[in-house]
Amino acid sequence: MNSVNSMRIGGLASGMDIDQIVSDLMEAERIPLNKMEQDKAWMTWQRDAFRDVSKSLSELDDLVRDMRLQKTYSTKETSSSQSGVTATASASASSGTYTMEVTQLATAAINVSSTGISADSTAKIDPLGKLSEQNFAGGVTVPDTLEFTTYHNGEETHQIAIEAGDTLSSVLTKVTDQDNGVRAFYDVQTDKVVLERTEAGDYNPGGEEIVFNGNSGFFTDTLQLTQAGEQNGTDATFIYNGAVELTSKTNSTTLNGVTFNFLEETTGAAQVTVSNDVDASVDKIMAFVDKYNEVIEKVNGSLNEPRYRDYKPLTEAQKKDMSEKEIELWEEKAKSGLLKGESMLSSGLFDMRQGLYAQVDNGSQFSHLSEIGIKTSSNYLDAGKLIVNEDKLRDALKEDSDSVYQLFSNDTEGAGRGIMHRMDDAINSTMRSIEERAGRGLQTLEQYTLGKRLKDVDNQIDRFQDKLTQIEDRYWRQFTAMEKAIQRMNEQSSYLMQQFNG
């Protein structure tokens, strides 16, 4: 409050409750402010209600995007007659039976110490102790640099720097951590070092894949690794469909959209069967239908929800006189009908229904949802919800999954546009309209229609609160002046009485 407050006189002379009188007068003056605050609360609720609908539409649109993918309708399942071969199939793979005979698995090149590397088998070396202090069977030859060649990406030479304080463990870790396709470790139980390629395959036919160069004494003497002791890597070899023999650097290969994984050599040919996973497709379509029905119910409920105009948003002063339960029940009525009759929502629902129910001229076997077992509910209270005949849907997917895909996802304009593309168009158009009206979470008030109105109301509230302060000060000045006048009158009356009595 301003400095006028310090001059307020609260009924000392008149005997009136000036505080209460001013409070009652200000209560009447605040009626327009209460109306503005209620309007602000209503617009905030309405904005949040629009955003809630937009969130539901966005969740539906996520499913719509998945429904536009071919894999939704052509998910494949595979089975194999032998455990040595497993397979996975992409949506583009043709259903049918394939044979795969694995005659050799791919292996990685490996070299293991020919004997234990410790001079005393009962007192083995300490892999964490300094190299120069360890008792190796072949002595310890510690060069400044280890050098070896690999052939994975063509012929590449790799160098490992050795430092004075290095241990066997640290040297082998340096070999493993370098980007060279080789890993190395010391096995305490066998007292041997293992040096191996990290990937399977024969990359240097007729020769070793890890070739020791330069000062090779550390490999050959200290670690007891002989060049001739390397077990070279092998390629996987297999016969596809009994007709063609192929090789692979890894124990897998992809042919015609089917990825075959080799676990062991087969006994004869393994039969791999690829078929449509109808259950997976039905589950995805049902998930879309359930979400669509949920959105339809939610938006229709909002459009038809009754509005109770006598239940205005509560002010903070009103809430003080009410219990939490009373506030909850009141606001339940006050928030009813926030989106009643909103044309952008009813128009959006209409566009979605049109996209679903209209004929799709795509030249495939199916051109309408009813042909694959999906139709609208005959109950008008359902407001256009979808009903699915799962048996008919399964039959359609088994019979011609590609035509089902074309019905939903044909990517063209005009009468041949797939249902999901039409749905995506309708949903995004509605969401853009909502965003223009109610904005998004990170937008400022100036960026959407309701936000601009909320900002205007905030400005009106600020101006009116300043006005109320001035009015209250005026009332107090008037009552203070009255109190002072009464005080002077009382003083004069007292003086006259003293004179008469004297």
Side-chain angles (χ1 to χ4, degrees):
M1 293 295 178
N2 59 28
S3 58
V4 175
N5 293 346
S6 61
M7 301 171 58
R8 290 176 177 176
I9 301 176
L12 295 176
S14 66
M16 295 187 296
D17 188 350
I18 303 302
D19 281 324
Q20 186 61 47
I21 293 173
V22 172
S23 178
D24 292 340
L25 289 170
M26 290 307 299
E27 190 67 30
E29 295 287 353
R30 285 192 182 91
I31 291 175
L33 178 62
N34 292 340
K35 176 65 168 59
M36 283 185 272
E37 289 178 340
Q38 288 171 331
D39 288 344
K40 178 183 176 181
W42 174 266
M43 283 188 285
T44 301
W45 290 345
Q46 190 177 53
R47 178 197 64 189
D48 293 343
F50 271 121
R51 289 181 179 180
D52 188 45
V53 170
S54 184
K55 180 183 176 183
S56 295
L57 289 173
S58 178
E59 291 169 354
L60 176 62
D61 201 40
D62 289 340
L63 292 179
V64 166
R65 281 194 288 271
D66 288 341
M67 292 286 288
R68 289 160 53 182
L69 302 176
Q70 185 176 12
K71 67 179 182 180
T72 299
Y73 313 93
S74 302
T75 302
K76 304 294 183 179
E77 59 182 352
T78 61
S79 61
S80 174
S81 64
Q82 292 192 37
S83 60
V85 176
T86 63
T88 57
S90 67
S92 61
S94 301
S95 297
T97 299
Y98 304 80
T99 64
M100 182 64 67
E101 181 178 356
V102 182
T103 56
Q104 177 177 279
L105 291 177
T107 60
I110 185 170
N111 199 338
V112 182
S113 301
S114 57
T115 62
I117 63 175
S118 301
D120 184 352
S121 61
T122 61
K124 296 177 182 177
I125 64 159
D126 179 7
L128 300 179
K130 291 179 62 175
L131 283 171
S132 58
E133 298 174 356
Q134 303 308 307
N135 188 16
F136 288 97
V140 57
T141 303
V142 186
D144 294 332
T145 304
L146 288 181
E147 185 176 295
F148 58 93
T149 299
T150 61
Y151 294 86
H152 177 62
N153 295 312
E155 185 175 335
E156 292 184 350
T157 299
H158 311 280
Q159 294 182 333
I160 305 294
I162 306 297
E163 299 172 356
D166 270 333
T167 66
L168 176 62
S169 179
S170 66
V171 170
L172 298 181
T173 298
K174 288 180 180 181
V175 172
T176 300
D177 291 345
Q178 189 185 64
D179 185 19
N180 53 36
V182 174
R183 60 172 165 255
F185 62 91
Y186 169 67
D187 180 60
V188 177
Q189 286 188 324
T190 60
D191 191 33
K192 294 181 179 181
V193 169
V194 176
L195 191 68
E196 62 182 342
R197 292 277 296 117
T198 57
E199 296 182 38
D202 183 3
Y203 292 94
N204 187 26
E208 292 77 20
E209 293 188 37
I210 307 173
V211 177
F212 310 141
N213 302 333
N215 300 319
S216 61
F218 182 77
F219 286 114
T220 58
D221 300 333
T222 304
L223 303 185
Q224 298 293 310
L225 294 167
T226 65
Q227 198 72 75
E230 179 184 302
Q231 181 179 319
N232 295 343
T234 60
D235 293 339
T237 58
F238 53 94
I239 301 172
Y240 174 68
N241 277 350
V244 56
E245 184 172 5
L246 302 170
T247 63
S248 172
K249 296 295 184 187
T250 64
N251 285 310
S252 68
T253 187
T254 300
L255 301 167
N256 296 326
V258 182
T259 299
F260 299 90
N261 301 297
F262 310 141
L263 306 180
E264 59 189 21
E265 295 177 6
T266 61
T267 303
Q271 286 192 331
V272 175
T273 302
V274 177
S275 58
N276 287 331
D277 188 353
V278 174
D279 287 339
S281 298
V282 169
D283 288 344
K284 291 175 182 177
I285 293 172
M286 289 302 300
F288 161 75
V289 170
D290 290 342
K291 188 63 181 180
Y292 173 80
N293 287 343
E294 177 189 318
V295 171
I296 289 291
E297 181 176 3
K298 181 175 186 174
V299 177
N300 267 310
S302 298
L303 289 171
N304 297 310
E305 193 175 43
R307 181 174 178 182
Y308 302 98
R309 297 183 180 276
D310 292 336
Y311 287 82
K312 304 291 185 183
L314 294 169
T315 63
E316 291 303 317
Q318 289 171 327
K319 288 181 180 180
K320 290 179 182 179
D321 298 327
M322 301 172 68
S323 67
E324 289 187 7
K325 186 63 176 178
E326 288 173 333
I327 293 173
E328 180 184 344
L329 293 173
W330 183 281
E331 290 195 341
E332 183 179 328
K333 292 280 190 180
K335 291 181 179 180
S336 179
L338 287 168
L339 303 179
K340 182 176 177 62
E342 284 292 340
S343 59
M344 76 170 72
L345 299 184
S346 56
S347 176
L349 288 185
F350 176 80
D351 290 342
M352 283 193 286
R353 293 192 190 104
Q354 282 290 97
L356 281 172
Y357 308 153
Q359 195 90 359
V360 180
D361 298 330
N362 55 21
S364 69
Q365 181 177 349
F366 306 120
S367 60
H368 196 273
L369 276 180
S370 61
E371 296 172 352
I372 63 170
I374 303 176
K375 62 180 182 179
T376 57
S377 171
S378 57
N379 186 346
Y380 76 96
L381 294 176
D382 287 338
K385 289 184 179 180
L386 296 177
I387 305 295
V388 180
N389 181 331
E390 285 196 36
D391 290 337
K392 191 171 182 178
L393 177 59
R394 288 176 186 277
D395 290 342
L397 287 166
K398 290 177 182 177
E399 181 183 349
D400 192 349
S401 62
D402 189 59
S403 287
V404 177
Y405 165 66
Q406 291 298 323
L407 172 65
F408 280 102
S409 304
N410 196 35
D411 190 7
T412 187
E413 298 297 330
R417 192 163 178 76
I419 288 172
M420 290 302 110
H421 288 284
R422 297 173 181 176
M423 283 287 294
D424 187 55
D425 294 342
I427 290 172
N428 281 285
S429 176
T430 305
M431 289 173 63
R432 283 193 297 270
S433 297
I434 291 176
E435 186 176 326
E436 290 174 4
R437 180 82 170 275
R440 289 174 294 152
L442 298 178
Q443 287 185 310
T444 61
L445 295 177
E446 294 86 353
Q447 292 179 288
Y448 57 97
T449 304
L450 278 174
K452 294 175 183 176
R453 291 174 58 190
L454 283 168
K455 187 174 182 179
D456 288 342
V457 171
D458 281 337
N459 292 334
Q460 293 174 25
I461 289 174
D462 289 341
R463 289 194 297 269
F464 199 80
Q465 285 176 331
D466 291 340
K467 181 180 178 182
L468 287 177
T469 300
Q470 296 172 1
I471 292 173
E472 185 175 10
D473 287 344
R474 175 168 57 81
Y475 279 138
W476 274 106
R477 286 196 301 271
Q478 291 171 337
F479 280 108
T480 298
M482 180 192 76
E483 289 293 322
K484 288 180 178 179
I486 293 174
Q487 180 65 27
R488 286 194 299 272
M489 183 184 70
N490 288 340
E491 290 173 352
Q492 291 173 354
S493 175
S494 176
Y495 174 76
L496 289 174
M497 288 295 294
Q498 289 175 0
Q499 294 299 318
F500 288 137
N501 290 334

